[in-house]
Amino acid sequence: MTSRSEPATRAPRLTADGAPVEVRRSARRTRTVAAFWENGTAVVAIPARFTAAQESEWVHRMLEKLHRQGERRSRKGKRQPATDAALAAHAADLSAQYFGGRAVPTSVRWVSNQNSRWGSATPSEGSIRLSDKLKAMPQWVIDYVLLHELAHLLVAGHNAAFWKLLEGYPETDRAKAFLEGVSFATSRGLDPDAVPAADAD
């Protein structure tokens, strides 16, 4: 008597930034493979005839392509808006890289109601909020703001111990100057997006 095993549950695919991945098979698609973002999901469209091995290979290739495209957008000051889940996953990576994983937020999310601050943290709750105005800025600026708020989970004030935590991030001074420049322009009614941006590299 043979027993029928239950089909294995496939873990959901995620991009390197923690965004969900959807694979779409199409009978009308015979040779070409495409990848694009749709409502925060990385969609990879492949021919219906592809084997599981071909699917795995092409999904990997196309996610790499989307990642490279995202890096190019970041260098130009434009990037694909991240989901809250992707932002939280990235915050965890930054905490591990720069703070030994000691800063552990309970939530990290984009908000649209912060007009006077780029980010805020509530250490007692472990929550971090980033202004969605940051989404159009270079990734190294977003990383600085995230690290700044993560550091506040460890040190509440802006004392010497706080700034010591940020010494390991090489773009701290550059990002502070960038944000000060944006704030200066905005306070005087200038449109920062209308000013030619310097190369972010």
Side-chain angles (χ1 to χ4, degrees), residues 109-180:
R109 58 193 178 91
W110 295 108
V111 295
S112 58
N113 60 353
Q114 288 195 157
N115 297 318
S116 60
R117 291 185 291 181
W118 298 114
S120 61
T122 305
S124 61
E125 299 176 358
S127 61
I128 290 175
R129 297 160 300 281
L130 262 59
S131 169
D132 60 4
K133 294 180 177 63
L134 289 165
K135 288 183 176 182
M137 297 185 187
Q139 187 63 48
W140 49 270
V141 176
I142 297 173
D143 286 357
Y144 163 71
V145 178
L146 258 180
L147 282 167
H148 187 109
E149 302 311 330
L150 284 167
H152 275 311
L153 299 184
L154 303 174
V155 179
H158 290 106
N159 57 20
F162 173 85
W163 292 111
K164 183 73 174 177
L165 289 171
L166 293 175
E167 285 183 356
Y169 183 58
E171 304 291 354
T172 290
D173 291 339
R174 185 182 178 206
K176 286 170 64 179
F178 181 99
L179 292 170
E180 287 169 3

Side-chain angles (χ1 to χ4, degrees), residues 16-17 37 63-80 90 136-140 143 199-201:
D17 294 330
W37 288 99
L63 291 180
E64 286 290 321
K65 181 179 179 180
L66 281 180
H67 180 67
R68 290 194 300 271
Q69 290 174 344
E71 287 183 334
R72 285 197 292 272
R73 280 193 293 269
S74 295
R75 288 196 289 269
K76 296 176 182 178
K78 299 176 181 178
R79 61 190 300 272
Q80 181 70 31
H90 190 54
M137 297 185 187
Q139 187 63 48
W140 49 270
D143 286 357
D199 188 356
D201 286 333

Side-chain angles (χ1 to χ4, degrees), residues 176-198:
K176 286 170 64 179
F178 181 99
L179 292 170
E180 287 169 3
V182 173
S183 296
F184 178 88
T186 302
S187 69
R188 281 155 179 76
L190 302 176
D191 181 3
D193 292 334
V195 179

